[in-house]
Amino acid sequence: MKHLVVVAHPVEDSFTMGLMRAYTNELEKLGHTQRTCDLYRIGFNPALTPRELMPASAREPVCVDVALAQDEIGAADVIALIYPLWWMSMPAMMKGYIDRVFARGFAYESSQGVVHGLLGGKKAVLITCSGAPLPLLVKSGNWNAVQVLQDTHIFRSTGFELIDHLHFDEIAPSLPESAAAQHMERIRSFARQHFYGS
């Protein structure tokens, strides 16, 4: 299978980036091909332009960076997004990627408020982390909001089959090395669980 892994974290040796490396290495060990799109390192511009909001029939051709990103999605069987939750949402860099790349006419069409996804036949995986414990997020209703806005509203509504949303909680700068190692094994196991023999 062909995987596109999109990751957003400004610090290259962060826990988030470590998750990305463990995940992509395991995919390759399983015999899959993967392409990593590291939004910060490539300098992706997250700012949606006025012309990108024009109807497809009225605007000029898609910007080169967006066209490349859409081609990468088109070529992939599975897309994985890896990012930390900041203020219970994705980083602005990742949100800008979604705003610009998951555009009307490419990822969806809508009529009278009803969205029709255009990316059917593809699978998606979400991998997130937070400082807050997951039980606290669930109890407060924040986790439900994440699932509604990110899992359902973005990915399922554009046609993806969302395989899973893997979340790592209580991630802090003081995270012991032993705990970090357990988390890295967890994401490798996740890759084996979903993609062994695929």
Side-chain angles (χ1 to χ4, degrees), residues 150-167:
Q150 295 173 45
D151 299 19
T152 300
H153 187 67
I154 296 173
F155 295 95
R156 289 194 175 106
S157 68
T158 52
F160 284 102
E161 175 193 340
L162 184 61
I163 296 174
D164 208 343
H165 183 159
L166 179 63
H167 184 70

Side-chain angles (χ1 to χ4, degrees), residues 2-21:
K2 296 179 181 177
H3 296 253
L4 173 64
V5 179
V6 184
V7 62
H9 199 288
V11 180
E12 198 160 4
D13 64 352
S14 64
F15 177 80
T16 299
M17 296 301 289
L19 288 176
M20 178 274 294
R21 286 186 284 274

Side-chain angles (χ1 to χ4, degrees), residues 59-182:
R59 66 176 175 245
E60 299 169 23
V62 175
C63 295
V64 172
D65 59 343
V66 171
L68 175 60
Q70 291 177 345
D71 286 347
E72 289 173 340
I73 292 172
D77 301 304
V78 184
I79 180 172
L81 273 67
I82 305 177
Y83 55 93
L85 292 176
W86 292 337
W87 296 106
M88 295 313 301
S89 188
M90 54 184 64
M93 182 68 85
M94 184 67 82
K95 181 59 165 62
Y97 174 89
I98 297 293
D99 287 346
R100 296 187 65 215
V101 177
F102 284 41
R104 181 191 296 268
F106 171 74
Y108 73 97
E109 287 293 356
S110 66
S111 177
Q112 298 178 334
V114 177
V115 174
H116 170 68
L118 300 177
L119 296 174
K122 296 184 181 296
K123 301 178 188 298
V125 169
L126 297 184
I127 300 167
T128 56
C129 54
S130 67
L134 185 57
L136 180 63
L137 299 179
V138 170
K139 185 177 180 180
S140 67
N142 287 331
W143 187 246
N144 182 61
V146 167
Q147 291 180 311
V148 169
L149 293 174
Q150 295 173 45
D151 299 19
T152 300
H153 187 67
I154 296 173
F155 295 95
R156 289 194 175 106
S157 68
T158 52
F160 284 102
E161 175 193 340
L162 184 61
I163 296 174
D164 208 343
H165 183 159
L166 179 63
H167 184 70
F168 296 84
D169 63 347
E170 299 188 74
I171 305 304
S174 58
L175 186 70
E177 285 187 19
S178 58
Q182 289 175 351

Side-chain angles (χ1 to χ4, degrees), residues 16-83:
T16 299
M17 296 301 289
L19 288 176
M20 178 274 294
R21 286 186 284 274
Y23 183 69
T24 56
N25 288 343
E26 195 64 29
L27 288 176
E28 290 177 354
K29 284 182 185 177
L30 292 169
H32 295 256
T33 60
Q34 67 84 24
R35 167 152 171 66
T36 300
C37 178
D38 181 346
L39 296 176
Y40 279 94
R41 255 53 67 186
I42 67 170
F44 184 81
N45 180 2
L48 186 68
T49 66
R51 119 177 141 85
E52 288 174 318
L53 285 174
M54 294 176 150
S57 59
R59 66 176 175 245
E60 299 169 23
V62 175
C63 295
V64 172
D65 59 343
V66 171
L68 175 60
Q70 291 177 345
D71 286 347
E72 289 173 340
I73 292 172
D77 301 304
V78 184
I79 180 172
L81 273 67
I82 305 177
Y83 55 93

